[in-house]
Amino acid sequence: MAITGNGSLTIYLSVFVISAAFLLKGAAETLSVEGQNLGTDNVSVIEGEMATISCRVKNNDDSVIQLLNPNRQTIYFRDVRPLKDSRFQLVNFSDNELRVSLSNVSLSDEGRYVCQLYTDPPQEAYADITVLVPPGIPIMDSREDVVSEGNETELTCTAMVSKPAASIRWMKGEQELTGEMTVDETYDRMFTVTSRLRLTVSKEDDGEPVSCIIDHPAVKDLRAQRYLEVLYQPEVKIVQAFPEGLTREGENLELTCIAKGKPQPHQISWLRVDDDVPSHTVITGSDLFIENLNKSYNGTYRCVASNTVGDAYDDYILFVHDAPTTIPTPTTLNLDNTQDSRAGEGAPQKIDHAVIGGVVAVVMFAILCALIVLGRYFARHKGTYFTHEAKGADDAADADTAIINAEGGHNNTEEKKEYYI
């Protein structure tokens, strides 16, 4: 029992010593690693351009730094390049950094590069070089060059051989659209991407730009553009060229048919709905002329325009009004009409002035007559008066006797008479 117990104790002591030794070794390694930190960064580079790898050491204790390629071949050992590839060049070497450049990068250069620090044990840090291959100019195509309104068309956009795979967006004017995308992998991990866009067009889409935009980390603002060409049936509108206002009996009527489409309408025709066009109607292309209107011409007149896409029409409803009952005096077009209008509006004021003028005239006439009567009245009462020659002849029978018998009279006394009117 004692032997067994001593043996067990011996085994426990041995395990403890070995564990302690490993712990001390691990602690020393930890102190060494923490004391000298090795670091680097991943690099993305466009094919044909230059990549730079930097191996950085913090608190270096004169340990050797070297750089290895993905095949673990030494590119640089300190500042010496054992590898016979002149594309690798030393940019900087010091106790704390080994920086190397690689020019004219190709896909074969892609992989994991190793920064190695000769410590005990050695430290390693890894820099992954990713080579980007931009796509070429996108190829854009359409199923048909010209499409009629209401039909569906298909556009395709292809981004050739890129790495990584590109993505494709669609824009119609300012509106973003979604296409159906397929990705095909080719040689050397290269990708070809194709996007298909289907859309139903209208006449408003004619001349609208459609763009496919390529998104890729190696390139910016790469796009292709195409303008839609849409055929659509005519748009028709009838304009009354004469008269400007109501249509009346005895007047003329002139209508113009305006038609636009793509392609331009090749035929324009006039007809009267549910009846024949009046016999003396003159139709010249898009113009219709009817002379000397009467109410039997009332009805709906239609202009029909046609092109290769289809037909369209517009209607004009003619209603002939009665002729004016009085013929207005010819006047200047605008000024006299305005004056006539103003005269009509002021007629009641002229009647009021006439009444007031008549009343004033009657009053003035009455006053004048009164003045005449009063004047004659006063004239008659002031017509006879006595002079000194007739003084004291109050008792005479008449005026002649009073003059003869008057005091201080003379034999050859002259008669004096005064007359008043």
Side-chain angles (χ1 to χ4, degrees), residues 170-378:
W170 290 94
M171 296 289 293
K172 186 183 76 170
E174 299 298 326
Q175 179 185 5
E176 185 167 356
L177 304 175
T178 302
E180 182 181 336
M181 193 163 58
T182 58
V183 180
D184 297 322
E185 185 174 356
T186 60
Y187 63 94
D188 293 337
R189 293 167 295 166
M190 302 288 284
F191 301 91
T192 294
V193 181
T194 301
S195 180
R196 289 177 173 82
L197 175 68
R198 295 181 178 88
L199 70 157
T200 302
V201 299
S202 63
K203 63 183 178 182
E204 288 78 14
D205 293 326
D206 183 47
E208 191 76 9
V210 177
S211 305
C212 71
I213 304 169
I214 308 301
D215 293 326
H216 192 273
V219 68
K220 293 182 178 179
D221 197 27
L222 186 62
R223 66 176 63 199
Q225 189 176 74
R226 191 181 187 94
Y227 290 90
L228 294 174
E229 186 171 357
V230 181
L231 303 180
Y232 53 91
Q233 66 182 17
E235 297 176 328
V236 185
K237 181 180 180 181
I238 297 177
V239 177
Q240 180 178 311
F242 184 85
E244 294 183 357
L246 298 176
T247 51
R248 298 184 181 277
E249 285 188 307
E251 294 182 347
N252 300 332
L253 173 66
E254 183 177 351
L255 302 178
T256 298
C257 181
I258 300 174
K260 296 180 181 179
K262 189 172 183 179
Q264 192 65 20
H266 61 270
Q267 181 179 358
I268 296 178
S269 58
W270 287 91
L271 58 91
R272 184 180 178 186
V273 179
D274 299 331
D275 205 344
D276 295 331
V277 175
S279 58
H280 62 284
T281 301
V282 177
I283 298 176
T284 307
S286 60
D287 297 330
L288 178 144
F289 181 80
I290 302 177
E291 188 179 17
N292 193 20
L293 292 174
N294 63 62
K295 294 189 176 182
S296 65
Y297 300 159
N298 288 344
T300 301
Y301 292 77
R302 176 173 295 175
C303 172
V304 182
S306 305
N307 64 6
T308 56
V309 180
D311 302 335
Y313 65 87
D314 188 27
D315 289 340
Y316 172 85
I317 299 176
L318 174 62
F319 182 82
V320 179
H321 296 263
D322 293 332
T325 55
T326 57
I327 300 176
T329 303
T331 57
T332 304
L333 181 59
N334 293 326
L335 181 61
D336 293 345
N337 288 342
T338 303
Q339 291 176 348
D340 292 343
S341 175
R342 291 178 179 176
E345 294 174 358
Q349 296 179 359
K350 288 188 176 182
I351 294 174
D352 294 342
H353 292 164
V355 172
I356 294 173
V359 173
V360 172
V362 170
V363 172
M364 294 299 294
F365 180 76
I367 294 173
L368 182 61
C369 292
L371 291 175
I372 293 173
V373 171
L374 290 174
R376 292 182 63 84
Y377 173 79
F378 285 116

Side-chain angles (χ1 to χ4, degrees), residues 134-139 158-162 191-193:
I137 297 175
I139 301 172
T158 304
M160 300 293 294
V161 290
S162 66
F191 301 91
T192 294
V193 181

